[in-house]
Amino acid sequence: MAASRLELNLVRLLSRCEAMAAEKRDPDEWRLEKYVGALEDMLQALKVHASKPASEVINEYSWKVDFLKGMLQAEKLTTSSEKALANQFLAPGRVPTTARERVPATKTVHLQSRARYTSEMRSELLGTDSAEPEMDLRKRTGVAGSQPVSEKQSAAELDLVLQRHQNLQEKLAEEMLGLARSLKTNTLAAQSVIKKDNQTLSHSLKMADQNLEKLKTESERLEQHTQKSVNWLLWAMLIIVCFIFISMILFIRIMPKLK
C-alpha cells in the first residue's frame, strides 16, 4: 500500500531531526525540540489516519520519536554521569528511516552521544574544562615539567575509575530491573488475592440470596401456619362460649323447678 502524504511528511521531518541530532548544536538551539513536538503530533494523527501503515511501522516511528525526545531530555540534565545513565536507557530505531541509510541514524546518534558523555565524564574526573583545552594543555605541560607522572599509570587509573563508574551504573540498572520484577510479582500476587476475594464475595452473595429466598419462603409458611392456628383458636373459643351460654340457660330453667 502506498504511503500517505502524512506519512511522507513524517518521514521527511524525522530524517531532518535525525540529521540535526547528529550535528553539533548550540545550547540555545530550539528548532530540534519544536520539530520533535511536531513529530509527536504527526505520529498521533497517523495512528488514527484512514490509510495508516502497519503496526510494526508505526511502532518503529514511535521508537525513533521517543528516542529523540529522550535524547533532548538527557541533554537538559546537569551532570555528565546523569546524561550517560539516561542515554543508556534510550532505545534507538532498528530500521533505517530512508533507503539511503545503511545503519539507522538514531543508532549513530546514540553512539555519538554515548561517546560525548563518556568524554565529558572523563573531563570531570580529571578536573579539566572542555571549554578551554589550550589553557588546560599548558597547565598539564607545566605540571608535567615540574612533577613528571607516568602516562600509562594515569591512563590505567582513569580506566579503573571509568570501569568502577560503569559497574556502578550496571549495578543500578540491575537493581532497577530487580525492583521492576519484584513489583510485577507483587502485582500478580495482589491480583490473585483480589481474584480469590472476588470469588469468595460472589459465593457469599449467592449464598445470601439463597438464604434470603429460603427466609421468605419460611416466613410465608409461618404466616400461613399462624393464620391457621388463630382460626382454630377462634372457632374453639366460639364453641366454648356457645356451650357456656347454653349451659347457663339450661341451668336457669332447671333451678326454679327444683324449688
Side-chain angles (χ1 to χ4, degrees), residues 88-178:
Q88 287 184 356
F89 290 99
L90 296 179
R94 298 177 296 180
V95 180
T97 305
T98 60
R100 293 177 297 178
E101 298 178 1
R102 294 183 179 179
V103 180
T106 51
K107 186 174 293 185
T108 304
V109 173
H110 192 216
L111 294 176
Q112 290 177 352
S113 59
R114 179 184 296 178
R116 183 171 67 255
Y117 296 147
T118 303
S119 177
E120 292 179 1
M121 289 172 57
R122 183 176 301 174
S123 300
E124 290 181 0
L125 291 173
L126 292 177
T128 59
D129 188 3
S130 59
E132 299 178 355
E134 295 181 357
M135 186 179 296
D136 184 68
L137 181 59
R138 292 175 183 175
K139 291 181 180 179
R140 284 190 182 183
T141 305
V143 173
S146 60
Q147 298 178 358
V149 181
S150 175
E151 295 182 357
K152 292 184 179 180
Q153 184 177 0
S154 300
E157 291 177 355
L158 177 60
D159 292 338
L160 181 60
V161 172
L162 291 176
Q163 184 64 31
R164 288 179 179 176
H165 191 76
Q166 183 70 21
N167 293 336
L168 182 61
Q169 291 181 353
E170 292 178 356
K171 184 178 179 181
L172 180 60
E174 290 178 357
E175 289 179 356
M176 292 178 66
L177 291 175

Side-chain angles (χ1 to χ4, degrees), residues 36 65-75 86-87 90 117:
V36 173
V65 174
D66 291 339
F67 170 79
L68 294 173
K69 185 178 178 181
M71 186 196 67
L72 292 175
Q73 293 177 352
E75 290 179 352
N87 185 71
L90 296 179
Y117 296 147

